[in-house]
Amino acid sequence: MRKAILILIWTATSLLSAAALVSPIATRPSAYVLSPGDVAPQDIQAPYSLSFPSEILTEQARQEAEQRVPALYLPADPAISRKQIEQLRTALNYISVVRLDAYSSDEEKISDLSNLTTIKIDADLARTILNLNEVRWQAIQNEALNVLEQIMRDSIREDQVNEAVRRIPSLISFSLPQEQAVIVNELVAPFIVPNSLFDREQTEAAKKKARESVQPVIRNYISGEIIVRRGQVITPMVWETLQQYGLIRSQTTHEDYISSLALVAVVTGFGILFFTRRSNEPGNNLKILKRLPSQVLIAALFLLFLYSAKLVIPNRTVVPYFFPLPAFGLTISILFNLEIGLILSLMLSILTGFGLTNALDLTIFYILTSFIGALTLGRGKRISAFIWAGIAIGLSGSAVILAYRLTSPYSDLIGLATLVAAAFVNGIASSSLGLLFQYIFSQFLGATTALQLLEISRPDHPLLQFILQNAPGSYQHSLQVAVLAEQAADKIGADSMLVRVGGLYHDAGKALNPSFFIENQIGGQLNTHDDLDPSESARIIIEHVNHGVMLARKYRLPNRIQDFIREHHGTLMTRYQYAKALELAGNDTSRVDSTKFRYPGPEPRSRETAILMLADGCQARVRAELPQTEEEIRSVVRKVIEYCEKEGQLDHTQLTMRDLSVITESFVSTLKNTYHPRIRYPEIAPATQPLSIEETAK
């Protein structure tokens, strides 16, 4: 099924690429094919007299008729007015209850009033209301209800709300003092809402009737009349006229179709041959292309750049050197790898340059700028890497322009300077788009980019701060495991940055129950597991995996980092609790359910998560056993790796025996430097008499 989908994607992409080469989609096509927005190559006259209904002029007349139709509103809805009055009454009752609360202080009452959602009452207004006597407050309530009822009796539309609010002071009884009138105004204003709602159905019906009442606009031409002069822009109305006269025709021939299909077939065959051979090689890094989202994204991005290029580049002088085609290579290189980015950039550059008047130099321009930009960018670990990639694109593009145009008799210094400037703008635009696309599309793929990893590995990340504050022992353990795993990953060519960040978060779930894990327990205190049933103890320990995934989702860590949390214990067993359960059961395995003592998994499914599992196990064992010599450390490391192999935890990781040997030596080297013996310094008894300055100097 997957192979069939892959064939379908390749076929569809090839056919759409061929269509891009022959379709008249350019905004400035050849002189024989005209489109709206083009400049007329010559004066075009009406070959004969003609009258025809103009769809463009008719549509303009219909739109004008629509615009003259006023918006229609429904009659004032009494239910809305009653609802607002009832809401005001409820709010006033709430204020009255707060005023009469004998058990609250003034500050508490002010806080209660400020929490009222329907009316915004600030501290000053709240104090004023609280200081009123009951008679005046009752008068204010009555007046507020009366004013709101008067206003809501009138029809109020959406655009008349502000006007209705401005009418409030004029409706307030003049018998109220100014201070109380202000309170009434503040209480009533929030409850004034439209009670005459926009009638979309009647308005649309009126507009439709107005459109239908417009008669088709007839346009007349006399034989010999100029339709468009040379140098004038072909407007939609001119284009409509040319179509009516049959003066627009396509120049695409069968030879164009054959040549386009031939080139696309060669380029497609090259891509299929390359990726098929490379994906079948052992230890290759192109497995990601077998994922359906990756295939869809690459195809869509390839076609987006190809169609955009064919839309804006033909028959232009500066735009081809400005078009940011290298952004495609930068994006693919970051999201997947450099090899894929270079090959696809080569294919895209060849197709983009096909059919252009200066196809050779433009194709070389696109190939070299894409290659050099991608090589300069690398993994894109810093924003500065994108800046340098943009500069490299500008410099390489300028070199290609000078190489092909400096000796041309048709080039001048101003023209060369313009093209060189366009090349540098190309570099800036390409690096900017690459930075933007890698962020957007990494979310779609669930992939992790170097910039994302750097961002979430910062010590001030909220989740790392949460772990540090709640489980400092687990935090330190994670740091040590991250360093241990990172060194080993670097030695075997795995993604060391990904491993390091995965190591930082792999035990995040321990932060929710830190006291149940030994590294967070203070020496000399009772172990929280001593009084627990072994199965319950195991459940609590195993639960830190699910807690970690929950925290990772809460703090929006990438899916790839969540894999480290899920897989760092695989389907291994909590051996200490299981052994304790067997002991309590008299070593009768039939009386102990082993599934309660096994992590949910899955087993590691990548080299990176497998390295972290091994590093986690080795660091824990070394810390527990405290080996004194290098051979003892090596023995511990080998035991951990052999145990994981025996349990089938490395079956889906593509780690070779050579990889495991390199990992072993890397672990030993790092652990030896971390847990090397230290000198115990002797205690120095304090002097009985303080030394003088002279004695100290001696």
Side-chain angles (χ1 to χ4, degrees), residues 519-542:
E519 65 266 24
N520 300 309
Q521 296 173 0
I522 301 175
Q525 291 188 355
L526 292 176
N527 192 324
T528 52
H529 293 277
D530 291 343
D531 298 329
L532 291 177
D533 180 75
S535 61
E536 178 63 16
S537 178
R539 185 194 65 79
I540 295 173
I541 291 176
I542 292 172

mmCIF file of all heavy atoms in Angstrom, residues 519-542:
data_model
loop_
_atom_site.group_PDB
_atom_site.id
_atom_site.type_symbol
_atom_site.label_atom_id
_atom_site.label_comp_id
_atom_site.label_asym_id
_atom_site.label_seq_id
_atom_site.Cartn_x
_atom_site.Cartn_y
_atom_site.Cartn_z
ATOM 1 N N GLU A 519 16.839 9.468 43.945
ATOM 2 C CA GLU A 519 17.738 10.607 43.787
ATOM 3 C C GLU A 519 17.187 11.876 44.432
ATOM 4 O O GLU A 519 17.926 12.852 44.619
ATOM 5 C CB GLU A 519 18.016 10.863 42.297
ATOM 6 C CG GLU A 519 16.805 11.291 41.472
ATOM 7 C CD GLU A 519 16.133 10.113 40.802
ATOM 8 O OE1 GLU A 519 16.294 8.973 41.301
ATOM 9 O OE2 GLU A 519 15.448 10.323 39.786
ATOM 10 N N ASN A 520 15.886 11.878 44.755
ATOM 11 C CA ASN A 520 15.281 13.047 45.396
ATOM 12 C C ASN A 520 15.092 12.854 46.898
ATOM 13 O O ASN A 520 14.552 13.745 47.566
ATOM 14 C CB ASN A 520 13.919 13.360 44.757
ATOM 15 C CG ASN A 520 14.033 13.660 43.286
ATOM 16 O OD1 ASN A 520 14.842 14.487 42.885
ATOM 17 N ND2 ASN A 520 13.240 12.984 42.471
ATOM 18 N N GLN A 521 15.507 11.702 47.410
ATOM 19 C CA GLN A 521 15.337 11.424 48.836
ATOM 20 C C GLN A 521 16.585 11.824 49.604
ATOM 21 O O GLN A 521 17.709 11.643 49.132
ATOM 22 C CB GLN A 521 15.051 9.934 49.049
ATOM 23 C CG GLN A 521 13.736 9.476 48.414
ATOM 24 C CD GLN A 521 13.549 7.976 48.490
ATOM 25 O OE1 GLN A 521 14.403 7.266 49.010
ATOM 26 N NE2 GLN A 521 12.422 7.500 47.957
ATOM 27 N N ILE A 522 16.372 12.371 50.774
ATOM 28 C CA ILE A 522 17.481 12.825 51.615
ATOM 29 C C ILE A 522 18.025 11.627 52.380
ATOM 30 O O ILE A 522 17.280 10.809 52.929
ATOM 31 C CB ILE A 522 17.017 13.917 52.589
ATOM 32 C CG1 ILE A 522 16.454 15.107 51.806
ATOM 33 C CG2 ILE A 522 18.145 14.358 53.508
ATOM 34 C CD1 ILE A 522 15.850 16.184 52.676
ATOM 35 N N GLY A 523 19.345 11.498 52.413
ATOM 36 C CA GLY A 523 19.976 10.376 53.084
ATOM 37 C C GLY A 523 19.603 10.299 54.545
ATOM 38 O O GLY A 523 19.537 11.308 55.247
ATOM 39 N N GLY A 524 19.364 9.085 55.034
ATOM 40 C CA GLY A 524 19.016 8.895 56.439
ATOM 41 C C GLY A 524 17.527 8.855 56.692
ATOM 42 O O GLY A 524 17.088 8.414 57.755
ATOM 43 N N GLN A 525 16.734 9.345 55.733
ATOM 44 C CA GLN A 525 15.285 9.331 55.920
ATOM 45 C C GLN A 525 14.698 8.016 55.420
ATOM 46 O O GLN A 525 15.307 7.282 54.651
ATOM 47 C CB GLN A 525 14.641 10.496 55.171
ATOM 48 C CG GLN A 525 14.963 11.856 55.761
ATOM 49 C CD GLN A 525 14.144 12.946 55.091
ATOM 50 O OE1 GLN A 525 13.425 12.709 54.141
ATOM 51 N NE2 GLN A 525 14.277 14.151 55.623
ATOM 52 N N LEU A 526 13.486 7.706 55.871
ATOM 53 C CA LEU A 526 12.820 6.476 55.465
ATOM 54 C C LEU A 526 12.488 6.527 53.986
ATOM 55 O O LEU A 526 12.071 7.557 53.455
ATOM 56 C CB LEU A 526 11.529 6.283 56.278
ATOM 57 C CG LEU A 526 11.711 5.988 57.773
ATOM 58 C CD1 LEU A 526 10.349 5.925 58.447
ATOM 59 C CD2 LEU A 526 12.483 4.682 57.991
ATOM 60 N N ASN A 527 12.682 5.413 53.314
ATOM 61 C CA ASN A 527 12.320 5.292 51.910
ATOM 62 C C ASN A 527 10.799 5.148 51.812
ATOM 63 O O ASN A 527 10.210 4.302 52.479
ATOM 64 C CB ASN A 527 13.018 4.083 51.293
ATOM 65 C CG ASN A 527 12.894 4.084 49.778
ATOM 66 O OD1 ASN A 527 11.876 4.481 49.232
ATOM 67 N ND2 ASN A 527 13.944 3.628 49.117
ATOM 68 N N THR A 528 10.185 5.981 50.982
ATOM 69 C CA THR A 528 8.718 5.969 50.873
ATOM 70 C C THR A 528 8.192 4.649 50.334
ATOM 71 O O THR A 528 6.999 4.353 50.468
ATOM 72 C CB THR A 528 8.249 7.102 49.952
ATOM 73 O OG1 THR A 528 8.978 7.020 48.725
ATOM 74 C CG2 THR A 528 8.477 8.448 50.584
ATOM 75 N N HIS A 529 9.043 3.834 49.725
ATOM 76 C CA HIS A 529 8.591 2.558 49.172
ATOM 77 C C HIS A 529 8.605 1.426 50.198
ATOM 78 O O HIS A 529 8.076 0.348 49.928
ATOM 79 C CB HIS A 529 9.478 2.160 47.981
ATOM 80 C CG HIS A 529 9.328 3.063 46.796
ATOM 81 N ND1 HIS A 529 8.315 2.926 45.879
ATOM 82 C CD2 HIS A 529 10.063 4.131 46.395
ATOM 83 C CE1 HIS A 529 8.435 3.851 44.952
ATOM 84 N NE2 HIS A 529 9.488 4.597 45.233
ATOM 85 N N ASP A 530 9.251 1.656 51.359
ATOM 86 C CA ASP A 530 9.412 0.574 52.324
ATOM 87 C C ASP A 530 8.074 0.035 52.829
ATOM 88 O O ASP A 530 7.942 -1.165 53.098
ATOM 89 C CB ASP A 530 10.271 1.040 53.503
ATOM 90 C CG ASP A 530 11.724 1.259 53.092
ATOM 91 O OD1 ASP A 530 12.106 0.747 52.005
ATOM 92 O OD2 ASP A 530 12.463 1.946 53.821
ATOM 93 N N ASP A 531 7.100 0.931 52.977
ATOM 94 C CA ASP A 531 5.813 0.519 53.536
ATOM 95 C C ASP A 531 4.773 0.209 52.464
ATOM 96 O O ASP A 531 3.599 -0.001 52.780
ATOM 97 C CB ASP A 531 5.275 1.617 54.465
ATOM 98 C CG ASP A 531 6.198 1.865 55.646
ATOM 99 O OD1 ASP A 531 6.852 0.903 56.081
ATOM 100 O OD2 ASP A 531 6.260 3.016 56.107
ATOM 101 N N LEU A 532 5.188 0.201 51.203
ATOM 102 C CA LEU A 532 4.236 -0.035 50.125
ATOM 103 C C LEU A 532 4.327 -1.471 49.632
ATOM 104 O O LEU A 532 5.388 -2.109 49.681
ATOM 105 C CB LEU A 532 4.515 0.912 48.946
ATOM 106 C CG LEU A 532 4.236 2.388 49.161
ATOM 107 C CD1 LEU A 532 4.646 3.180 47.925
ATOM 108 C CD2 LEU A 532 2.760 2.625 49.455
ATOM 109 N N ASP A 533 3.194 -1.972 49.128
ATOM 110 C CA ASP A 533 3.186 -3.256 48.457
ATOM 111 C C ASP A 533 4.051 -3.149 47.199
ATOM 112 O O ASP A 533 4.037 -2.118 46.511
ATOM 113 C CB ASP A 533 1.757 -3.626 48.071
ATOM 114 C CG ASP A 533 1.693 -4.960 47.358
ATOM 115 O OD1 ASP A 533 1.815 -5.997 48.020
ATOM 116 O OD2 ASP A 533 1.537 -4.946 46.115
ATOM 117 N N PRO A 534 4.845 -4.174 46.863
ATOM 118 C CA PRO A 534 5.738 -4.075 45.697
ATOM 119 C C PRO A 534 5.014 -3.700 44.412
ATOM 120 O O PRO A 534 5.539 -2.924 43.610
ATOM 121 C CB PRO A 534 6.355 -5.472 45.618
ATOM 122 C CG PRO A 534 6.305 -5.990 47.010
ATOM 123 C CD PRO A 534 5.048 -5.431 47.609
ATOM 124 N N SER A 535 3.821 -4.241 44.192
ATOM 125 C CA SER A 535 3.101 -3.905 42.962
ATOM 126 C C SER A 535 2.677 -2.446 42.954
ATOM 127 O O SER A 535 2.738 -1.776 41.909
ATOM 128 C CB SER A 535 1.871 -4.807 42.807
ATOM 129 O OG SER A 535 0.967 -4.617 43.893
ATOM 130 N N GLU A 536 2.256 -1.916 44.111
ATOM 131 C CA GLU A 536 1.894 -0.504 44.195
ATOM 132 C C GLU A 536 3.128 0.370 44.017
ATOM 133 O O GLU A 536 3.088 1.413 43.353
ATOM 134 C CB GLU A 536 1.226 -0.219 45.547
ATOM 135 C CG GLU A 536 0.854 1.247 45.774
ATOM 136 C CD GLU A 536 -0.173 1.754 44.790
ATOM 137 O OE1 GLU A 536 -0.830 0.921 44.120
ATOM 138 O OE2 GLU A 536 -0.322 2.986 44.677
ATOM 139 N N SER A 537 4.231 -0.049 44.618
ATOM 140 C CA SER A 537 5.482 0.683 44.458
ATOM 141 C C SER A 537 5.897 0.723 42.994
ATOM 142 O O SER A 537 6.306 1.765 42.474
ATOM 143 C CB SER A 537 6.574 0.033 45.303
ATOM 144 O OG SER A 537 7.802 0.690 45.124
ATOM 145 N N ALA A 538 5.784 -0.414 42.324
ATOM 146 C CA ALA A 538 6.133 -0.468 40.899
ATOM 147 C C ALA A 538 5.207 0.411 40.078
ATOM 148 O O ALA A 538 5.637 1.081 39.135
ATOM 149 C CB ALA A 538 6.069 -1.912 40.407
ATOM 150 N N ARG A 539 3.924 0.389 40.424
ATOM 151 C CA ARG A 539 2.971 1.220 39.668
ATOM 152 C C ARG A 539 3.342 2.693 39.749
ATOM 153 O O ARG A 539 3.295 3.423 38.755
ATOM 154 C CB ARG A 539 1.557 1.011 40.217
ATOM 155 C CG ARG A 539 0.473 1.729 39.423
ATOM 156 C CD ARG A 539 -0.837 1.787 40.174
ATOM 157 N NE ARG A 539 -0.732 2.591 41.382
ATOM 158 C CZ ARG A 539 -0.754 3.935 41.391
ATOM 159 N NH1 ARG A 539 -0.863 4.605 40.253
ATOM 160 N NH2 ARG A 539 -0.654 4.593 42.525
ATOM 161 N N ILE A 540 3.723 3.152 40.943
ATOM 162 C CA ILE A 540 4.077 4.560 41.123
ATOM 163 C C ILE A 540 5.312 4.901 40.300
ATOM 164 O O ILE A 540 5.392 5.961 39.659
ATOM 165 C CB ILE A 540 4.305 4.863 42.616
ATOM 166 C CG1 ILE A 540 2.993 4.699 43.388
ATOM 167 C CG2 ILE A 540 4.867 6.259 42.805
ATOM 168 C CD1 ILE A 540 3.146 4.812 44.888
ATOM 169 N N ILE A 541 6.292 3.991 40.326
ATOM 170 C CA ILE A 541 7.523 4.257 39.574
ATOM 171 C C ILE A 541 7.244 4.256 38.069
ATOM 172 O O ILE A 541 7.694 5.146 37.337
ATOM 173 C CB ILE A 541 8.588 3.205 39.930
ATOM 174 C CG1 ILE A 541 9.048 3.403 41.375
ATOM 175 C CG2 ILE A 541 9.771 3.283 38.974
ATOM 176 C CD1 ILE A 541 10.011 2.367 41.868
ATOM 177 N N ILE A 542 6.489 3.274 37.599
ATOM 178 C CA ILE A 542 6.194 3.187 36.162
ATOM 179 C C ILE A 542 5.364 4.376 35.700
ATOM 180 O O ILE A 542 5.499 4.843 34.564
ATOM 181 C CB ILE A 542 5.458 1.858 35.872
ATOM 182 C CG1 ILE A 542 6.410 0.675 36.097
ATOM 183 C CG2 ILE A 542 4.889 1.838 34.465
ATOM 184 C CD1 ILE A 542 5.735 -0.677 36.033
#
